[in-house]
Amino acid sequence: AQSVTQPDIHITVSEGASLELRCNYSYGATPYLFWYVQSPGQGLQLLLKYFSGDTLVQGIKGFEAEFKRSQSSFNLRKPSVHWSDAAEYFCAVGANTNAGKSTFGDGTTLTVKP
Amino acid sequence: DVKVTQSSRYLVKRTGEKVFLECVQDMDHENMFWYRQDPGLGLRLIYFSYDVKMKEKGDIPEGYSVSREKKERFSLILESASTNQTSMYLCASTNPGQGGPEAFFGQGTRLTVV
């Protein structure tokens, strides 16, 4: 069975500082990996995704993530955080089978200090 | 621009009422999903549908049913609402054949059962 772990429930960073959100997954084959962002009271928006190719993927809003097969990780990074990045972030693992169903982590809430 | 639309942003219903949550997508996607989101629990899958009139239970189907009479519309039904169904409900769609199981989400419906 597939699963996703986001070890950090809540992270606080200062504006302008770098950010790394952790994600570990369990999956039997090569998975699709996603990061989504959710602003308060909104649905989820895709930040980036990985399936194959270059293990460092670029997304929207200046985010990037690196796939490390040996560590079963897909950590999200941003070099300089903006106040507007405050939101909840979800890592997910999915496949093209089974209706494209994804399994989501429990989320990491990011607070940005001025 | 692709779009998933949920009929209500906020709903307040009484215990025992029958509640309908509606979701429409305009992307001709095969698959549609209903999740509920609660603090600290991430997204939990209630039901999904991979074709018209086809449905499968997710992880927490008890107390819910669904209907998919047309490809673009997926309804979540609470047969007899209870206070423990107070939650944020998110609808999503995928079409893995178009490049991967990326999920497109609606803006969410915040349901309060009193």
Side-chain angles (χ1 to χ4, degrees):
Chain A
Q2 58 197 45
S3 66
V4 177
T5 301
Q6 293 181 244
D8 304 304
I9 296 172
H10 196 170
I11 282 184
T12 299
V13 300
S14 297
E15 191 168 15
S18 64
L19 171 70
E20 183 170 33
L21 302 182
R22 296 183 291 164
C23 172
N24 293 98
Y25 69 92
S26 173
Y27 192 73
T30 301
Y32 281 85
L33 292 162
F34 305 92
W35 276 100
Y36 294 87
V37 61
Q38 184 183 34
S39 299
Q42 301 295 318
L44 278 67
Q45 179 186 18
L46 181 73
L47 280 176
L48 46 79
K49 65 181 178 183
Y50 171 81
F51 177 63
S52 64
D54 192 348
T55 55
L56 184 64
V57 293
Q58 302 297 320
I60 62 171
K61 306 186 184 199
F63 286 91
E64 66 179 26
E66 186 171 14
F67 171 62
K68 292 186 177 180
R69 185 187 302 275
S70 61
Q71 299 177 18
S72 296
S73 70
F74 189 57
N75 294 348
L76 183 71
R77 300 194 294 248
K78 187 169 185 179
S80 177
V81 168
H82 188 263
W83 64 266
S84 61
D85 294 324
E88 190 160 19
Y89 293 81
F90 292 91
C91 182
V93 61
N96 270 343
T97 57
N98 200 18
K101 187 173 63 165
S102 290
T103 299
F104 291 81
D106 289 344
T108 298
T109 300
L110 173 65
T111 299
V112 180
K113 293 191 301 184
Chain B
D1 209 11
V2 297
K3 207 160 184 185
V4 178
T5 304
Q6 295 181 230
S7 54
S8 303
R9 292 293 304 275
Y10 301 94
L11 277 178
V12 180
K13 296 293 182 180
R14 295 194 180 277
T15 300
E17 275 193 78
K18 191 169 186 176
V19 181
F20 292 86
L21 303 183
E22 307 285 346
C23 176
V24 177
Q25 51 96 1
D26 65 0
M27 297 165 282
D28 201 34
H29 281 180
E30 300 292 330
N31 312 309
M32 297 186 74
F33 305 79
W34 276 105
Y35 295 90
R36 67 175 280 176
Q37 182 181 17
D38 301 287
L41 297 178
L43 275 69
R44 293 181 291 167
L45 182 63
I46 305 171
Y47 267 97
F48 67 101
S49 168
Y50 52 90
D51 201 353
V52 174
K53 298 190 187 293
M54 305 302 289
K55 61 187 179 185
E56 282 201 23
K57 294 179 181 179
D59 301 317
I60 52 163
E62 295 77 21
Y64 303 94
S65 62
V66 291
S67 173
R68 193 160 180 210
E69 295 296 319
K70 293 185 177 181
K71 190 176 185 179
E72 66 271 19
R73 186 179 298 270
F74 192 35
S75 303
L76 180 69
I77 304 157
L78 287 65
E79 296 290 343
S80 177
S82 64
T83 55
N84 64 13
Q85 292 177 310
T86 292
S87 187
M88 172 73 120
Y89 290 87
L90 293 167
C91 175
S93 69
T94 68
N95 204 21
Q98 290 181 356
E102 171 187 347
F104 294 85
F105 283 86
Q107 75 277 30
T109 297
R110 171 101 33 211
L111 173 66
T112 302
V113 182
V114 298

